Amino acid sequence: MTPEVVRRSVLDGRPLPATGRVKAYPLPFATRLNLRGSPDVVEPVRKAFGVAPPTQPMGSASAGERAALWLGPDEWLLLAEENAGDLMGTLTSALGGVFHSLVDISHRQVGIAIEGPGAARLLAAGCPLDLDARAFPVGMSTRTLLVKAEIGLWRREENFFRIEVLRSFAPYVARILDLAARDQG
Amino acid sequence: MLLIHCPYCEMERPEVEFKYGGQAHLVREPQKATDEEWTDFLYFRDNTRGLHAERWRHAVGCGRFFNCLRDTVSDKIAATYKAGEPRPSSP
């Protein structure tokens, strides 16, 4: 008998904020690759992945279901829809002669969407950055903190953020967001 | 909370994202060092009153080490600059 293998999200069954001003919900499973290297990796990745890793600090670039987020001057997060095929293989061949590191971290993190006119205010309950749209404009992306958890924060639209949370921290982050939303009514 | 300018993110970021990394511009040369110089490198650091060049790491951000000139009396940061760059002469 073949055992049934079911992939469950760590966020299944955990309450997330859903108020009139803001709602948070888990994003679908995704392929995530951590890429490190000099700016020499940009062009081969652009050709093979379809999105060029941004060299602008705290920048992001996206096209359709794919995105490249700046994490540091030599580090990026590549995001793709879950069924991206053998992305690791494709990129490894594309980066053939270029010194780099490419690590599949798809299952390390979970994505949470935070959406609505109260989105920035909800995150501000635990994030030390200034999330006003003038200080943290649409498209900006960075690693930062949410209370005690390290998160990746990406502002996709003025009232829509994607946060990337380490899997084991996801229940904590969900709880913090839920409590903050209750506080804020 | 201090706001520290990260030379890699090119932005002021909150102190809680950073980790202190000790005195900057130490040169590690075990092949050339005498016993006394090596002992100095391993165990002894300046105890400056005033501007001190020190390493910081933007741990929960870009992850990079950089250098910082900080006044140890007032805690005021005079300059931050990328790793490998020389200490600014006058802030």
Side-chain angles (χ1 to χ4, degrees), chain B:
Chain B
M1 191 189 300
L2 295 176
L3 288 173
I4 300 172
H5 183 267
C6 171
Y8 293 97
C9 291
E10 299 174 0
M11 179 179 198
E12 287 195 335
R13 301 284 292 245
E15 181 187 356
V16 287
E17 292 183 350
F18 295 85
K19 290 278 189 294
Y20 179 71
Q23 188 179 333
H25 304 300
L26 297 173
V27 180
R28 183 182 189 276
E29 288 183 318
Q31 290 84 1
K32 286 206 261 169
T34 62
D35 282 357
E36 195 179 339
E37 286 164 347
W38 189 235
T39 306
D40 273 353
F41 172 85
L42 289 178
Y43 300 113
F44 294 98
R45 295 293 179 263
D46 296 341
N47 187 17
T48 310
R49 181 182 163 87
L51 278 183
H52 184 232
E54 52 201 20
R55 302 164 79 217
W56 283 76
R57 179 170 178 253
H58 194 186
V60 194
C62 62
R64 265 359 69 169
F65 274 98
F66 62 91
N67 293 327
C68 170
L69 272 186
R70 183 180 60 94
D71 192 306
T72 57
V73 178
S74 64
D75 217 17
K76 186 174 165 55
I77 290 175
T80 56
Y81 48 105
K82 291 180 179 175
E85 289 177 1
R87 175 179 171 148
S89 48
S90 58

Side-chain angles (χ1 to χ4, degrees), chain A residues 53-131:
Chain A
T55 48
Q56 165 75 24
M58 303 175 62
S60 69
S62 61
E65 301 279 330
R66 293 189 171 188
L69 310 182
W70 187 93
L71 293 177
D74 60 358
E75 185 177 8
W76 295 269
L77 175 66
L78 306 180
L79 271 174
E81 76 272 32
E82 194 192 16
N83 300 314
D86 184 16
L87 196 53
M88 190 75 189
T90 311
L91 285 173
T92 302
S93 353
L95 286 164
V98 186
F99 183 65
H100 72 281
S101 145
L102 187 68
V103 182
D104 188 330
I105 54 164
S106 302
H107 291 222
R108 190 185 79 169
Q109 289 163 207
V110 295
I112 302 175
I114 299 177
E115 192 173 12
R121 183 161 175 254
L122 178 68
L123 285 165
C127 175
L129 294 181
D130 181 353
L131 297 177

Side-chain angles (χ1 to χ4, degrees), chain A residues 10 108-110 150-152 164-171 173:
Chain A
V10 64
R108 190 185 79 169
Q109 289 163 207
V110 295
E150 178 181 316
I151 60 164
E164 286 282 319
V165 184
L166 296 183
R167 200 196 146 283
S168 55
F169 271 93
V173 167

